[in-house]
Amino acid sequence: EVQLVESGGGLVQPGGSLRLSCAASGFTFSSYWMSWVRQAPGRGLEWVANIKQDGSEKYYVDSVKGRFTVSRDNAKNSLYLQMNSLRADDTAVYYCARVNQHTGDFWGQGTLVTVSS
Amino acid sequence: DVVMTQSPLSLPVTLGQPASISCRSSQSLVHSDGNTYLNWFQQRPGQSPRRLMYKVSNRDSGVPDRFSGSGSDTDFTLKISRVEAEDVGVYYCMQGTHWPWTFGQGTKVEI
């Protein structure tokens, strides 16, 4: 059974940093692109970042470029999102998703990031 | 960025009756590889999004066959042939053809 479990969310002040993790199991992690997608409270969905199987290609939505870094450790079956210079509008539930057919076929339960003073 | 526009944004439904959601994109969703990466998601209250359909009309495993997807180029539709109580939630279309991948605003389906 495919499982994705996010962790690392919490309350952080504007300008602060946070590192999210996603632990994957039930599939060959190193064979899939992976993604981070976020959802602001009561709002719609925004695709944040994609990373290729070997980490050699990464794509970001413009609103996080230069502030967020996606990475992975295939030996640990883990996906990460390093978030720096956080702003209030980064407040959201962050989901990790497995990419299949140019979309996410399995999603985690999400981790809430709140940026507030 | 490709703008995905859904209608209606709110859809009151009657159990056992059909329902339909429209999704239009600001650009053609035909990829250079020939595929059209238009997908549909369901998000039930308090849950993560769940993919229902990929590449316009392919149902995911475990998705009831009362759900169907159709369309081409910039105009797409998700249909529920007979709404059941478990179908309540928000439905999103999403394009994976052009980066950044983008979602529609969501359509809230309620009984």
Side-chain angles (χ1 to χ4, degrees):
Chain A
E1 178 193 4
V2 173
Q3 286 201 334
L4 298 168
V5 180
E6 302 93 337
S7 61
L11 176 63
V12 61
Q13 291 189 340
S17 297
L18 214 53
R19 189 195 195 207
L20 305 183
S21 299
C22 172
S25 61
F27 65 101
T28 305
F29 180 73
S30 59
S31 296
Y32 288 86
W33 283 74
M34 295 294 295
S35 294
W36 288 99
V37 184
R38 67 184 178 182
Q39 185 170 34
R43 303 289 297 276
L45 294 154
E46 180 179 43
W47 213 283
V48 174
N50 281 359
I51 183 168
K52 194 176 180 179
Q53 290 93 329
D54 61 0
S56 61
E57 292 183 38
K58 303 176 184 181
Y59 298 90
Y60 301 93
V61 68
D62 281 352
S63 58
V64 308
K65 272 182 190 173
R67 301 187 301 122
F68 290 12
T69 302
V70 60
S71 62
R72 63 193 296 162
D73 185 336
N74 288 341
K76 295 183 178 179
N77 290 337
S78 292
L79 176 71
Y80 306 102
L81 186 67
Q82 177 66 42
M83 303 185 296
N84 298 331
S85 303
L86 283 161
R87 312 186 301 221
D89 63 358
D90 293 317
T91 295
V93 174
Y94 285 74
Y95 298 99
C96 71
R98 188 181 80 169
V99 176
N100 189 13
Q101 298 289 351
H102 287 227
T103 182
D105 62 347
F106 285 94
W107 297 52
Q109 85 290 345
T111 187
L112 176 62
V113 173
T114 303
V115 183
S116 176
S117 54
Chain B
D1 297 0
V2 177
V3 176
M4 305 296 289
T5 303
Q6 290 182 229
S7 62
L9 299 185
S10 178
L11 182 58
V13 297
T14 302
L15 295 178
Q17 294 300 305
S20 179
I21 301 170
S22 171
C23 176
R24 288 191 166 91
S25 59
S26 60
Q27 300 178 33
S28 171
L29 297 187
V30 180
H31 193 272
S32 56
D33 65 8
N35 290 304
T36 299
Y37 294 108
L38 185 283
N39 315 287
W40 289 96
F41 289 85
Q42 175 195 63
Q43 189 172 31
R44 291 173 172 147
Q47 295 187 12
S48 304
R50 168 200 182 195
R51 194 177 73 177
L52 297 177
M53 316 284 300
Y54 62 95
K55 289 195 297 185
V56 182
S57 58
N58 295 274
R59 256 190 317 274
D60 269 279
S61 175
V63 175
D65 61 7
R66 63 179 180 275
F67 288 93
S68 64
S70 63
S72 62
D73 200 28
T74 63
D75 197 352
F76 305 92
T77 302
L78 177 71
K79 292 183 178 177
I80 310 173
S81 59
R82 296 173 306 280
V83 173
E84 297 192 6
E86 66 178 16
D87 300 335
V88 165
V90 181
Y91 290 77
Y92 296 91
C93 61
M94 173 253 164
Q95 66 84 19
T97 297
H98 305 283
W99 184 258
W101 298 348
T102 49
F103 291 88
Q105 319 96 300
T107 295
K108 187 172 185 179
V109 172
E110 47 200 352
I111 307 295

